Amino acid sequence: MSNSHDIRSVPTPAGFQVGVDAVIFTVDMSASRLLVLLGAASHQFVETATAASDAPNWHLPGTLVGASESPESAARSLLWKTTQTKNLYLEQLYTFGEPNRHSPQAGQGHGARYLSVSYLALLGGNQPQALTPVNQDCQLAWHIFSEVPTLTFDQNKIINYGYARLRNKLEYSPIAFQILPESFTLSYLYQFYTIVLGENFSDYSNFRSRLLKLGFLQDTGLKTSRGAGRPATLYRFDRAAFAPYKDKPLVFV
Amino acid sequence: MSNSHDIRSVPTPAGFQVGVDAVIFTVDMSASRLLVLLGAASHQFVETATAASDAPNWHLPGTLVGASESPESAARSLLWKTTQTKNLYLEQLYTFGEPNRHSPQAGQGHGARYLSVSYLALLGGNQPQALTPVNQDCQLAWHIFSEVPTLTFDQNKIINYGYARLRNKLEYSPIAFQILPESFTLSYLYQFYTIVLGENFSDYSNFRSRLLKLGFLQDTGLKTSRGAGRPATLYRFDRAAFAPYKDKPLVFV
DNA sequence: GCAAAAGTGTTGCACTTACACCCATGG
DNA sequence: CCATGGGTGTAAGTGCAACACTTTTGC
């Protein structure tokens, strides 16, 4: 197809603008809901063909990658700017770069080639409802995951891909303990899993015995009570005890 | 940190060169080995500080992404150019973009910002040893996976990540059937899995009953014989029968 | 005592593991 | 008739789902 014989050369090497988009989840324990952070572009920046209405044009929070930063550090600073929390789990999701994919970036980059590296983030924090996102030119708001509106371009696809990854990670790796409080009760943990994975992911008592049998939940000796009912034991995630399970297929379900 | 209040603006939006690197595996059934395709840069192009010796400077096959193509289509044309086969499985792996990561691209892009989207490929073909890679300016050769040399930059990390992903996909999804011949015997399938996953992944008879119980291997009624021994039944992967299992956690192990 | 929340125990079923064994073919 | 490769069967052990039950607290 190309008349070049050097596999390194291609038709027309292009200059790309590289951006990151983040699917940012948080679990609202008090309201039992999974939340996702979305931004609404100021109308002056909206370029979509279909955006004639006054309805906000929701999109994933994003930023361009600067000359001196990596995509991951760009994602981290985006998270810090939008949520002001450092208690989070972050992982790369997927890179999208169709030639005709529009840049969500305004003004500049119009017509320029754009590539988006997407990230999955899960925020912790003891009172998620207090995580009021920073409002700047671009309006940010937490949305209930099950009720996300239609987003620009292919971003609903990205958000669903992020959710699928979140579920997988929660089931097969201990990311929950990275963002949960230092000590927690088993029913708190169960509630957390239930909100993300859905009501019927497991029976409470089976969840309980499975996790305790794994042996990396350490009884702190402390108890906590919330009004009526038997006080609950506080557990701590024991990193050392978990180490042997690292990289092994482990099921929390 | 930045004095900008628009989360979309960053210190210095950079122009990137975007490339794809491919971890290309194939299973050599006759020699029972997992092979990976590597290229050796012509010496005129070598820029590594440590490359003073005459030893070939092995790297993953790669190419720049052109102005009118997506990273995936760039990866596909790279695969076609290097291996001349269309019987393959392809999936995106990870995007690397550290600021100080060198571009493996020669000449051009010296000092320019470079981003690499890596892909995992698994090639089929009935006689893998016939898959003589196309030799161009850049020498290409199949290497035994367990004996890969040290590659440039972080590419050994990428190749190992690719292998981990390959194992996972093989265990939890039916990618093998995408590249295996239309009909195959169960011992051929077992041998294929054994080469990739290692000797002790499963007992043959258990592998057998598990796969047959799943119900998407269809008996073609045909038999094949290789000299002595009982003739083997030829099976076909039944896509329709597999459909219900799609997206479900399925274990082949 | 009673409701609420936490925590324990039991039972049946399904699946995995590790083998031993039988079948069909070529020489 | 035996070596070779294909294919079947089974008994012990493991894990999990479902559900009933006991314990500890506040009121």
Side-chain angles (χ1 to χ4, degrees), chain A residues 1-2 4-18 20-21 45 59-72 78 80-82 86 91-99 104-106 108 113-115 117 119 134 136-138 140 155 161 165 172 249, chain B residues 1-2 4-18 20-21 45 59-72 77-78 80-82 91-99 104-106 108 113-115 117 119 134 136-138 140 155 161 165 172 249:
Chain A
M1 289 153 193
S2 166
S4 166
H5 285 243
D6 179 357
I7 61 158
R8 282 287 169 184
S9 75
V10 287
T12 323
F16 283 75
Q17 293 273 298
V18 174
V20 295
D21 291 300
F45 288 159
H59 58 78
L60 294 174
T63 186
L64 285 173
V65 178
S68 60
E69 57 183 356
S70 65
E72 180 171 326
L78 170 69
W80 176 248
K81 279 191 192 171
T82 52
K86 284 181 168 161
E91 121 178 12
Q92 194 186 105
L93 265 183
Y94 202 81
T95 298
F96 299 87
E98 297 303 309
Q105 266 54 38
Q108 61 190 316
R113 193 63 197 283
Y114 180 71
L115 190 108
V117 184
Y119 281 81
V134 177
Q136 294 168 317
D137 304 55
C138 172
L140 287 166
Q155 293 197 337
Y161 186 61
R165 185 85 136 251
Y172 301 115
Chain B
M1 288 150 194
S2 165
S4 166
H5 284 242
D6 179 357
I7 62 159
R8 282 287 169 184
S9 76
V10 287
T12 324
F16 283 76
Q17 292 274 297
V18 174
V20 295
D21 291 300
F45 288 160
H59 58 78
L60 294 175
T63 186
L64 285 173
V65 178
S68 60
E69 56 183 356
S70 65
E72 180 170 327
S77 71
L78 169 70
W80 176 248
K81 278 191 193 171
T82 52
E91 124 178 7
Q92 193 186 105
L93 266 182
Y94 202 81
T95 298
F96 298 88
E98 298 304 310
Q105 266 56 37
Q108 62 188 317
R113 193 62 198 284
Y114 179 71
L115 191 108
V117 184
Y119 281 82
V134 178
Q136 294 168 319
D137 304 54
C138 173
L140 288 166
Q155 294 197 338
Y161 186 61
R165 185 84 137 254
Y172 301 115

Side-chain angles (χ1 to χ4, degrees), chain B residues 7 26 29 45 47 64 67 126 140 145 162 164 193 217 225 239:
Chain B
I7 62 159
T26 197
M29 295 294 288
F45 288 160
E47 317 183 66
L64 285 173
N126 286 337
L140 288 166
F145 174 71
Y193 272 81
L217 288 191
S225 174
R239 297 187 164 277

Side-chain angles (χ1 to χ4, degrees), chain B residues 189-207:
Chain B
L189 186 62
Y190 179 70
Q191 202 193 139
F192 181 92
Y193 272 81
T194 301
I195 294 170
V196 181
L197 301 177
E199 284 298 332
N200 308 316
F201 84 98
S202 173
D203 179 88
Y204 173 64
S205 88
N206 293 330
F207 174 81

